[in-house]
Amino acid sequence: MNEVILVIGASGQIGTELVVRLREMYGESNVIAADIIIPSYDVMEGGPFELLDILNKKQIHNVIEKHKVTQIYLLAALLSATAEHYPKAAWELNVTGLLNILSICEKHNIKKLFWPSSIAVFGPRTPKDNTPQVTIMDPNTVYGISKQAGERWCEYYHEHQGIDCRSIRYPGLIGYKATPGGGTTDYAVHIFHEALKKNSYDCFLAEDTTLPMMYMPDAIDATIKLMESDSTKISVRSSYNVSGVSFSPSDLAAEIAKHVQGFECTYTPDERQQLAKSWPRSIDDSVAREEWGWQPSFDLKHMTSDMLANLRY
Ligand code: NAD
Ligand code: SER
C-alpha cells in the first residue's frame, strides 16, 4: 500500500528534521507537513504543507480526506516550561489534541499513529538512576501529567480500537536545525549558540543537574526504527524508554570549552530547576533494545563536535 503520512507539529524542533527524513524515505508528495505556524524553508519547499489546528476536528478531517492519509505523526504539544505557565492550554493541546487524533484515526480507519511521550512522565519517587521501563510514575509537572495521560490513552486505543499506536519517551533533545520550543532541557541547545556568539552562557539549570539527553539524529533514528518495526515486535503500547547520553550542564560546558577557547558558563537556576529535579538522571532502555533493536550512535563528545561543526558552517 502507498503510505501517505501526516506530520502534525511539523514546524517544531523535531518536525523540522523528521519531515525531511520521512520525505527521503516515502517520497516528497507522500509526507504532508502540518502546523499552526509556517515551517522552515526545507519543510515548506520540500513537499505539501497544510495550516492545521489539532483542536479543530473539521480541519483535521478535511486534510485527511484531501490527502488520503494512512499514518499520522502527532508532534504538537506544549513543552514542560511553557505548560507550567499555561496548565489548561497544555491539557487541551496535549491531551484533548491527542484524543481528537485518536478518535479521527478510528473514524477514518487510520491504523498507525506515532505520538511522543517524555522522561517527564517520571516523578520524584521514581528511581532516578537507570529508570526502568515499568516503575513508579508520579509526575508532578503539568507536562508530565499530560504525557502520562497520553500514554494511557494510546495503550487504551490500541487495546480497544486496534490502532497501531507507537511511542517513545524522548529524553531532552539537542539539534542545530531548529530552536527548542519551551522545555526544561532547552539550555543544552542555547549553550551552543551563546558559546559561539558570546563565548559565555548563563545556564538556567544548576551545574550538577544530570538529565537523560539525546542528539537529534539519534532521536530521528529511534522514531523511524520504531515505526518501521514489525508490529509483532512491539509489546509496549504506552511508550518506550530510550536512552542517549546523560550529562549535566557542567559536563556539557566542559566539553564545549575543549572546542571554544575561553568559553565560560555561569549558573543561575530558575523555576525550571524544580522540573528538572523531578526527572531521572539516566534511563534503562533495555526493552527497546531487545524488542526493536534500538541503539544510540552519539555520546557527549561526538554530539558536541558535530553540533559545533554544523553551527559554525
Ligand atoms: P516544539 O514545541 O518545537 O513543536 C511543537 C509544534 O506544534 C510547534 O511547531 C507548534 O506550532 C505546533 N502546534 C502547537 N499547537 C498546535 C495546534 N493546535 N495544532 C497544530 N500544531 C500545533 O516541540 P518539539 O520539541 O518538536 O516536540 C514534539 C513532541 O515531542 C512533543 O509532543 C513533545 O512533548 C515531545 N518531546 C520533545 C522533547 C524535546 O526535547 N524536544 C522531549 C520529549 C518529548
Ligand atoms: N525536553 C522536554 C522538555 O524539557 C522533555 O520532554 O520539556
Side-chain angles (χ1 to χ4, degrees), residues 86-223:
Y86 305 102
K88 283 190 182 148
W91 184 261
E92 187 70 1
L93 182 60
N94 297 7
V95 183
T96 308
L98 169 62
L99 281 171
N100 281 351
I101 297 297
L102 284 166
S103 67
I104 275 173
C105 283
E106 188 188 341
K107 195 165 165 199
H108 289 263
N109 206 22
I110 292 171
K111 287 288 175 214
K112 208 165 178 183
L113 172 69
F114 177 79
W115 169 86
S117 184
S118 160
I119 52 161
V121 289
F122 300 116
R125 290 173 203 81
T126 303
K128 288 220 176 294
D129 295 304
N130 235 6
T131 302
Q133 174 68 44
V134 179
T135 185
I136 297 167
M137 292 165 92
D138 59 344
N140 61 357
T141 65
V142 171
Y143 177 68
I145 294 167
S146 75
K147 287 293 181 186
Q148 196 188 33
E151 288 194 8
R152 301 271 69 79
W153 278 119
C154 284
E155 198 177 62
Y156 183 90
Y157 267 80
H158 173 257
E159 219 164 278
H160 293 271
Q161 304 299 343
I163 296 173
D164 188 355
C165 299
R166 303 186 183 198
S167 177
I168 282 173
R169 291 173 182 150
Y170 287 131
L173 301 181
I174 299 149
Y176 56 88
K177 291 196 177 151
T179 47
T184 302
T185 56
D186 294 11
Y187 89 86
V189 177
H190 298 158
I191 192 172
F192 283 97
H193 291 272
E194 297 287 295
L196 291 176
K197 236 190 305 172
K198 299 200 309 208
N199 221 20
S200 66
Y201 177 62
D202 188 30
C203 182
F204 59 74
L205 294 185
E207 61 185 303
D208 57 353
T209 314
T210 298
L211 288 170
M213 306 292 290
M214 186 178 279
Y215 196 31
M216 193 61 86
D218 273 341
I220 302 296
D221 281 351
T223 308

